[in-house]
Every structure is written in structure tokens, then in C-alpha cells.
Amino acid sequence: MTAPINFTAESLAQEAMTAQRKLSAGLDTLHEVDDIDYGATAREEVWRDGKVALYRFRGEQAPTAKAPLLIAYALVNRPYMVDLQADKSIVRGLLERGQDVYILDWGYPDRSDRYLELEDYIQRFLGGAVDHLRREYRQDAINLLGICQGGAFSLCYSALNPAKVRNLITMVTPVDFHTRDNMLSNWTRGLDVDQFVDTLGNVPADVMNWCYLTLKPWRLFVQKYVGLIDILDDKRALEDFLRMEKWIFDSPDQAGEAFRQFIKQFYQGNGFVNGGIDIGGRAVDLGYVDMPVLNIYAEQDHLVPPAASKALKDLVGSEDYSELSFKGGHIGIYVSGRAQREVPGAIHDWLTQRSR
């Protein structure tokens, strides 16, 4: 007879035997797992400023796009999420469609970077990479793809330097930091960031990771590791899992002064909406973002809720504004099968329509 919660002594015994078999097989599988690496696509360094490097991806075919596409990722994680592995690579999808793709790697800040400011990241590093590409391609403006915090940086850069950005794409980018469903914002609005940074200097990566993981404690502390048992006898699935874990915990420290400014001006001041973002003495007004804009958001994003991203529509000065809704989460938009089918093609088609 089946119990109300639908398990029996026999089914429990069978499940226990299956788990035991999986664990036993896992010991053999772990011996077979290769060194976990990332990056599916060849790349070469083409420009550097200190720890910050600009890389060009090399696809199997020559690019056909007229202007290069520069990707700016967030500071809190490594940018190789967009090129994690061969079957999970937004970069590879863009290259296959003829885009000429570059990425900015912020590097790993140390104590010597304690006093880097947002101006350094936006105008010096991001701006330096843009200017390098403008010189190399002998073009006045390039295409810019900003992801998450990198999208916020890209919006600031585009507002301050609109003539240098031909087309702007923002992906899972926070714009309105005070939406009710933004858990991360609700936490940080009460943070004494001055005491925090004055005490720590640079913000340790482990502190940042702990904050992100505790946004979904059951899913990220328990459920995914319980589910690991199901793939212990599958070498490829186990390698995929370990590669993702490596990305999650391969996080740089945050330069203290830039962190202080970002929390105050964006999370606490909601500067895109209310004003008050100051980059090197210049005010950021999204009304000056007058180039074509494609804003891509994820419907199940717990870090950047859709409403936080969609607020961009009413703030930019562009007459050519488009939105793309993705059925997935903040990470799935890069690595899911749906993402590989939908995202690179949508970006390529949008850019192609504006390159004529």
C-alpha cells in the first residue's frame, strides 16, 4: 500500500541501493576525470593596462562583421562564463555567425589596486580598450556588449562617450536598483559601506561569494550537491559540474574604493533612476545614450530581476530601443541549451540590421 506522501519501504530500499551504486561508481569516475579547464575558443591578448587585458577570440572562419564587438563582464566573476566550454559558449555562437569578438579581462586586483575608482574601470580600462579597437579598425565607434555589472559600466561609458559606441547591447544588466524583488539591493541598502571598506580594504572574494550563495541557500548549498549523486557515474556530466563550480569560486577580490562607489551610487543611491552617478567629476545621464540599444533580460533572474533591467527603456535617449526576453536565469542565459540556440543569433541579427 502506498503512503500519502507516495513512498514505500521497497521504494526507499531501492533508492538507497541506487545511491550506493552511484557513490561506488563515482569513486572510479573521479579517477577518470581530466583536469578541469575552461574556454572553448582560441584567443590572443591584443592590449593591456596593468592587470586588465583585452583578448581577441579566433574562430574557425574569418569575421564578416564591419565593426568589432567588445564584451565587458562584471568584476565579481571571471568573464570566461561566456566561453565556458564547446557546447556552452555564447562567444562561439557569435563567431560562427561572423562577429569579430573581443573580451575585457579585469584580472585579479590585489592590495596595490585598493584605491582604483569607478573612473579607472570605466574611462581608463573600458575606455582604453574601446580606443584601442577604434584605432585598430580605423573606425569612430565600435559595438559594445555589457553583461551584468559590465552592462552598468557600459551604460556609463556610452552616456559619457556616445560618439564612440555604434551599438550598445546590455545583458542581465541592473538599471533600477530599488525594485521590490531585488534581494541583493535590499541587503546592501543598509550596509555601512564606508566602515566595511575602511576595515577590509579590498573586499575578499569569499565574502562576495557567500552573499550570492545565501540568496538561494537551499538550492546552492544543499540541492545541487544532493543532485550530484545522480551524475557521479557520468564522466562528462561530472566534468561539466566541476567546471561550473570552478567558475563560481574563481572570483577576484573587489578593489575597495570602486566597490564603495558602486554600492553608494548604484545600489544605495539608485543613480541611473535618481541621478547622482559621478564618474571622475562627470555626471552620468542615460539620456545621452542615443545609439541603438538592445536590452536582454532573463525572466527567472534572481540577481537582476526583469523589472530592474526593463527600467532602461524609459531612461535612454535612443530612438532605437529593443528588448529581448530570455526564458531562464542569470547563469542559464550563457550556458543553457536554449541560450546557445537563441542568444547569439538574436544579437547577430540585431547588429546586422544596424550595420547597413
Side-chain angles (χ1 to χ4, degrees):
M1 182 176 180
T2 302
I5 54 176
N6 200 27
F7 66 80
T8 64
E10 291 79 6
S11 66
L12 287 175
Q14 182 61 43
E15 187 170 336
M17 292 176 61
T18 300
Q20 184 178 17
R21 178 179 58 79
K22 292 273 188 178
L23 290 169
S24 177
L27 295 176
D28 296 328
T29 306
L30 286 170
H31 284 296
E32 300 171 0
V33 168
D34 299 322
D35 289 338
I36 302 302
D37 204 356
Y38 55 82
T41 310
R43 66 179 191 175
E44 61 177 337
E45 182 180 315
V46 297
W47 174 86
R48 174 175 288 272
D49 183 345
K51 298 180 179 68
V52 179
L54 176 66
Y55 292 93
R56 185 184 190 185
F57 288 103
R58 295 290 188 182
E60 297 179 358
Q61 60 189 38
T64 57
K66 296 179 180 179
L69 174 63
L70 171 60
I71 300 176
Y73 202 76
L75 300 179
V76 71
N77 287 115
R78 302 289 290 143
Y80 56 79
M81 174 53 68
V82 296
D83 186 46
L84 190 64
Q85 59 192 61
D87 59 344
K88 297 178 180 180
S89 173
I90 298 296
V91 165
R92 175 165 288 195
L94 290 168
L95 292 172
E96 290 173 348
R97 291 165 173 82
Q99 293 298 320
D100 195 357
V101 185
Y102 292 76
I103 195 163
L104 200 57
D105 187 331
W106 305 109
Y108 293 88
D110 58 29
R111 285 184 295 176
S112 67
D113 303 305
R114 161 73 173 79
Y115 293 102
L116 286 177
E117 299 185 349
L118 289 182
E119 181 185 13
D120 292 299
Y121 283 102
I122 293 169
Q123 295 286 61
R124 174 183 163 189
F125 299 139
L126 178 55
V130 170
D131 287 342
H132 171 81
L133 294 176
R134 291 171 61 240
R135 290 192 300 269
E136 288 295 306
Y137 286 80
R138 298 181 181 180
Q139 296 184 12
D140 293 331
I142 69 161
N143 297 323
L144 183 57
L145 167 57
I147 298 175
C148 192
Q149 184 188 32
F153 285 1
S154 297
L155 283 169
C156 291
Y157 181 82
S158 299
L160 297 172
N161 309 274
K164 297 183 180 182
V165 180
R166 177 178 296 191
N167 298 291
L168 174 64
I169 304 164
T170 53
M171 181 183 292
V172 290
T173 294
V175 176
D176 183 351
F177 286 77
H178 286 185
T179 57
R180 294 182 63 185
D181 54 353
N182 192 327
M183 290 189 292
L184 194 58
S185 174
N186 287 324
W187 284 5
T188 54
R189 270 183 261 173
L191 173 68
D192 185 343
V193 69
D194 289 325
Q195 184 176 5
F196 190 70
V197 172
D198 291 344
T199 301
L200 294 176
N202 288 344
V203 180
D206 288 344
V207 172
M208 299 297 296
N209 276 334
W210 177 262
C211 291
Y212 288 120
L213 291 173
T214 51
L215 290 173
K216 283 191 170 183
W218 170 251
R219 171 70 183 90
L220 299 178
F221 281 118
V222 180
Q223 189 177 23
K224 74 172 181 178
Y225 296 113
V226 172
L228 176 61
I229 296 175
D230 292 331
I231 62 169
L232 282 176
D233 57 351
D234 185 331
K235 178 175 179 287
R236 180 173 177 179
L238 184 57
E239 288 176 344
D240 290 352
F241 177 89
L242 294 174
R243 187 175 291 109
M244 181 65 72
E245 288 293 283
K246 179 177 181 178
W247 175 79
I248 291 172
F249 294 102
D250 180 16
S251 299
D253 294 342
Q254 301 293 292
E257 206 58 37
F259 179 86
R260 185 201 312 265
Q261 293 174 346
F262 193 75
I263 295 299
K264 281 189 170 183
Q265 298 186 33
F266 292 80
Y267 275 102
Q268 295 180 344
N270 202 19
F272 280 144
V273 175
N274 298 330
I277 296 177
D278 182 292
I279 306 299
R282 298 178 62 191
V284 172
D285 182 348
L286 294 186
Y288 288 101
V289 178
D290 58 1
M291 70 290 300
V293 175
L294 171 62
N295 186 25
I296 306 173
Y297 63 91
E299 294 179 7
Q300 285 83 47
D301 194 335
H302 71 291
L303 293 176
V304 183
S309 181
K310 294 171 69 176
L312 184 61
K313 179 180 181 180
D314 297 324
L315 296 173
V316 294
S318 176
E319 296 181 357
D320 182 356
Y321 174 88
S322 306
E323 284 183 352
L324 175 63
S325 171
F326 175 77
K327 293 182 179 180
H330 194 81
I331 302 302
I333 200 170
Y334 320 116
V335 299
S336 67
R338 180 189 293 272
Q340 311 314 308
R341 296 190 300 270
E342 297 179 2
V343 175
I347 292 174
H348 171 73
D349 292 346
W350 185 84
L351 287 172
T352 301
Q353 292 168 8
R354 286 152 184 82
S355 65
R356 298 166 184 168

